[in-house]
Amino acid sequence: MVTTYQELQMYKNFDELANDVLELAKEILPDQLIYLTSLSDSQQVILKLSNEDTSIAVAEGLVLNLNETLCNRVDFQNNQPLIYEDIQKESSLEKLQQKLDEVNIRSYLGLPISLVNGEKFGTLCAINDEVTHFDAKSIQLLQKIVRMFSYYLDLERFAYRDALTDLYNRRYLSNFFDNHSSKGGVILFLDLDGFKKVNDIHGHEAGDGVLKEVASRLQKLAAEQPDAFAVRLGGDEFVMHFPSIGSKEDISQQAQHVLDRLSKWDAQYQLSTSIGVVTYPASGTEELAALLKHADQALYEAKTSGKNTYKFF
């Protein structure tokens, strides 16, 4: 699961630590423009810059097509830095040369930032509009800074992730709602039908495997909708949160899509899913606890009406 920019905004001291990282890196390479990025499968986001008064056309919050960036070439698998001391002499960068000239980048150093589980986070980069020599000692010091930054990311990440499934947890949902509920949205409260029998008959290890598979399917569903995300509340209870997605018919189609994706299991498990649906308007006044209570009531109706269905509050 990718650590999103939205998640980073909830980390208590992310901005402060990011600024410290850039400040330390700047002491090592004072003549360079230093910046932090986060990466997804297709995009790079510039999170923080050491300074914005520069001839290089890079800005905080800039979103780039990953295939059109130098960071896409960083070796995450072997955790190795990428070094271009004179970009104009690199024949392998011929396709990117025009874009690099446009933003005035002549030299580049990119260090991979990964989490303990191997997941890519992003890069710490140093760039200049002039040819630059990056000495081995400076690179080693920057790698130490990156390791410390990675440890912090993991500590914060654990606070917002479910240990078993790696989905977001109730704390993340609560913090998200505190900061973003004014935009309105849709909550799908999910409960697995027949899950207790899986634990009773096949054991808790099999049950954990089912929960992990549910999480994987929900994460793929969330990836299909911009700004959607999945949460494990506990046990076999999950939440999917969507931004406002239109009419009741549109929401019904989304709920049915979730049901369909969670309906196929090995015959031995005999599992299905019931869903309670609740919506809340932009600039609404309801608290998360009340919304979850309403969604739970709708879920109960779905259970009592035959399961493997959804009901609106």
Side-chain angles (χ1 to χ4, degrees), residues 187-205:
I187 291 175
L188 272 57
F189 197 149
L190 296 79
D191 183 88
L192 297 180
D193 308 319
F195 180 71
K196 185 176 183 301
K197 288 184 178 180
V198 174
N199 278 332
D200 292 345
I201 297 173
H202 302 284
H204 288 280
E205 185 174 345

Side-chain angles (χ1 to χ4, degrees), residues 87-102:
I87 285 173
Q88 292 184 1
K89 292 184 178 180
E90 300 290 339
S91 58
S92 64
L93 298 178
E94 182 178 353
K95 292 183 179 180
L96 289 177
Q97 191 66 58
Q98 182 177 348
K99 290 184 178 295
L100 294 170
D101 287 343
E102 288 173 356

Side-chain angles (χ1 to χ4, degrees), residues 288-302:
L288 177 62
L291 289 172
L292 290 178
K293 182 178 180 180
H294 294 162
D296 192 33
Q297 291 172 2
L299 173 64
Y300 177 77
E301 290 184 19

Side-chain angles (χ1 to χ4, degrees), residues 219-230:
Q219 187 59 28
K220 290 176 182 177
L221 281 163
E224 296 173 2
Q225 283 272 5
D227 298 324
F229 61 89

Side-chain angles (χ1 to χ4, degrees), residues 34-310:
I34 315 291
Y35 61 93
L36 279 168
T37 81
S38 66
L39 305 179
S40 69
D41 292 336
S42 61
Q43 293 182 327
Q44 171 181 315
V45 180
I46 307 298
L47 298 176
K48 287 284 182 181
L49 289 174
S50 60
N51 58 290
E52 296 191 12
D53 183 15
T54 172
S55 64
I56 300 175
V58 178
E60 289 186 6
L62 183 65
V63 180
L64 303 169
N65 183 329
L66 186 59
N67 290 329
E68 298 178 352
T69 70
L70 292 171
C71 291
N72 190 42
R73 299 168 177 247
V74 173
D75 186 354
F76 281 85
Q77 184 173 355
N78 296 304
N79 195 34
Q80 292 298 309
L82 179 64
I83 304 170
Y84 294 124
E85 295 186 336
D86 186 353
I87 285 173
Q88 292 184 1
K89 292 184 178 180
E90 300 290 339
S91 58
S92 64
L93 298 178
E94 182 178 353
K95 292 183 179 180
L96 289 177
Q97 191 66 58
Q98 182 177 348
K99 290 184 178 295
L100 294 170
D101 287 343
E102 288 173 356
V103 296
N104 205 25
I105 296 177
R106 183 70 183 271
S107 62
Y108 170 91
L109 168 65
L111 291 89
I113 304 174
S114 299
L115 303 178
V116 171
N117 63 3
E119 176 187 312
K120 292 181 185 178
F121 170 81
T123 53
L124 175 66
C125 301
I127 54 178
N128 205 324
D129 57 3
E130 298 178 353
V131 175
T132 303
H133 171 64
F134 298 105
D135 64 277
K137 183 176 181 180
S138 294
I139 293 173
Q140 290 172 359
L141 290 172
L142 290 172
Q143 287 175 315
K144 290 181 179 180
I145 292 173
V146 164
R147 282 198 295 273
M148 290 187 289
F149 183 58
S150 298
Y151 294 150
Y152 166 82
L153 291 173
D154 272 302
L155 289 173
E156 288 285 358
R157 189 173 185 273
F158 291 146
Y160 291 108
R161 301 280 189 172
D162 174 64
L164 177 65
T165 65
D166 203 35
L167 290 182
Y168 292 129
N169 58 20
R170 186 185 292 266
R171 181 182 179 187
Y172 177 87
L173 179 62
S174 178
N175 282 4
F176 172 88
F177 198 83
D178 288 343
N179 290 288
H180 300 282
S181 62
S182 61
K183 298 178 181 179
V186 180
I187 291 175
L188 272 57
F189 197 149
L190 296 79
D191 183 88
L192 297 180
D193 308 319
F195 180 71
K196 185 176 183 301
K197 288 184 178 180
V198 174
N199 278 332
D200 292 345
I201 297 173
H202 302 284
H204 288 280
E205 185 174 345
D208 287 349
V210 166
L211 296 175
K212 291 178 182 178
E213 177 60 24
V214 169
S216 176
R217 297 184 192 185
L218 292 181
Q219 187 59 28
K220 290 176 182 177
L221 281 163
E224 296 173 2
Q225 283 272 5
D227 298 324
F229 61 89
V231 173
R232 184 189 179 205
L233 292 181
D236 61 333
E237 292 183 337
F238 297 85
V239 160
M240 287 207 70
H241 182 280
F242 298 93
S244 296
I245 53 177
S247 66
K248 185 174 181 179
E249 181 179 358
D250 293 332
I251 299 170
S252 296
Q253 290 177 354
Q254 186 64 60
Q256 186 60 53
H257 186 43
V258 174
L259 284 179
D260 292 343
R261 293 285 281 271
L262 294 178
S263 65
K264 296 179 181 179
W265 296 92
D266 291 342
Q268 60 178 331
Y269 286 150
Q270 297 182 339
L271 287 167
S272 62
T273 304
S274 295
I275 301 176
V277 183
V278 65
T279 64
Y280 63 95
S283 303
T285 57
E286 284 194 278
E287 296 184 355
L288 177 62
L291 289 172
L292 290 178
K293 182 178 180 180
H294 294 162
D296 192 33
Q297 291 172 2
L299 173 64
Y300 177 77
E301 290 184 19
K303 290 276 192 183
T304 56
S305 65
K307 302 179 181 179
N308 194 30
T309 189
Y310 63 88

